[in-house]
Amino acid sequence: KAGVTQTPRYLIKTRGQQVTLSCSPISGHRSVSWYQQTPGQGLQFLFEYFSETQRNKGNFPGRFSGRQFSNSRSEMNVSTLELGDSALYLCASSLGAWSSYNSPLHFGNGTRLTVT
Amino acid sequence: AQRVTQPEKLLSVFKGAPVELKCNYSYSGSPELFWYVQYSRQRLQLLLRHISRESIKGFTADLNKGETSFHLKKPFAQEEDSAMYYCALSGLETSGSRLTFGEGTQLTVNP
């Protein structure tokens, strides 16, 4: 079974631009969540989508948004990029059960975003 | 608010020595605790979770609600255990996909 796939692996953008990151979950997984990883803040939850609906949201500004398609693939968008948005963005998929006991997260390799 | 603290950023032990990676949490509800591991050039993956009460790769972790801790232990460390370890928490009141991670502990097992 193929793992979680994130594209692209690397991105370089300039301040003010916007960016879209893509995530393909494991087949059969209906939940996709996104995390930001930085040296200073560690791993922080951005949001989760389940059956095309945002089920959970972290404490990030509205510039960070996402969506999920009917095939469970998800995209994350960051508008008006700031230098501080430079990070590794991780996507994780799961079956989607409310509790992680029955639905552990499977992570992708991430997209490394650099904002200059 | 929920919080996970891993007091050691770096931990170095010799092969065959016992290892303990500390994790403390703060959460007012019913917590679910996990350990995730990231080996060099690999993706983050689940190592174990407290509800399973199982030993994975010789590692165990016991949830101590009194001390709000979930320390990861292994009696005899192996070189292949060298990796970054993250303790994580989710609450039964929120989706299990919303994990709060600790800062991580880089474990190095020396030959």
Side-chain angles (χ1 to χ4, degrees):
Chain A
K1 194 182 254 189
V4 176
T5 304
Q6 291 187 245
T7 56
R9 290 295 307 275
Y10 302 93
L11 266 177
I12 300 176
K13 293 285 187 179
T14 56
R15 271 184 303 175
Q17 286 186 315
Q18 74 164 15
V19 66
T20 299
L21 314 181
S22 180
C23 173
S24 294
I26 291 172
S27 176
H29 284 193
R30 296 170 63 194
S31 167
V32 173
S33 51
W34 290 87
Y35 287 81
Q36 181 195 65
Q37 186 175 26
T38 59
Q41 300 295 319
L43 278 153
Q44 292 189 291
F45 174 80
L46 280 155
F47 31 64
E48 179 206 2
Y49 286 86
F50 177 75
S51 292
E52 302 179 64
T53 301
Q54 189 179 82
R55 182 159 76 172
N56 240 316
K57 189 177 189 307
N59 298 322
F60 279 82
R63 299 185 297 106
F64 292 82
S65 63
R67 60 177 175 169
Q68 186 180 35
F69 301 96
S70 58
N71 61 359
S72 293
R73 191 177 69 84
S74 176
E75 287 182 348
M76 188 192 107
N77 185 276
V78 187
S79 62
T80 319
L81 283 166
E82 301 178 0
L83 294 178
D85 297 333
S86 294
L88 180 68
Y89 290 88
L90 293 173
C91 167
S93 75
S94 70
L95 288 170
W98 187 257
S99 167
S100 281
Y101 292 158
N102 299 316
S103 189
L105 296 184
H106 297 262
F107 284 85
N109 282 317
T111 293
R112 172 77 60 187
L113 172 65
T114 302
V115 182
T116 62
Chain B
Q2 50 200 57
R3 185 181 177 90
V4 176
T5 303
Q6 294 178 248
E8 303 137 330
K9 285 193 174 181
L10 301 170
L11 185 61
S12 182
V13 300
F14 286 102
K15 177 182 173 182
V19 63
E20 180 180 49
L21 290 85
K22 291 184 167 52
C23 171
N24 289 92
Y25 68 90
S26 172
Y27 184 63
S28 56
S30 297
E32 302 180 64
L33 273 298
F34 309 84
W35 277 99
Y36 279 81
V37 61
Q38 188 166 29
Y39 301 102
S40 179
R41 289 185 289 279
Q42 293 187 28
R43 59 187 67 192
L44 193 60
Q45 58 186 285
L46 177 66
L47 179 62
L48 56 78
R49 41 190 169 172
H50 87 267
I51 190 66
S52 301
R53 292 186 166 274
E54 59 192 345
S55 173
I56 303 293
K57 299 184 179 184
F59 283 98
T60 59
D62 291 317
L63 178 60
N64 186 322
K65 291 188 176 181
E67 296 182 359
T68 59
S69 68
F70 188 57
H71 303 328
L72 184 68
K73 301 176 184 179
K74 185 169 182 176
F76 307 103
Q78 303 299 314
E79 289 180 66
E80 55 266 29
D81 295 330
S82 295
M84 189 72 166
Y85 291 81
Y86 293 94
C87 181
L89 172 153
S90 74
L92 283 172
E93 296 78 12
T94 60
S95 163
S97 295
R98 181 172 189 156
L99 294 177
T100 297
F101 283 88
E103 295 278 335
T105 297
Q106 179 68 50
L107 173 66
T108 301
V109 181
N110 300 297

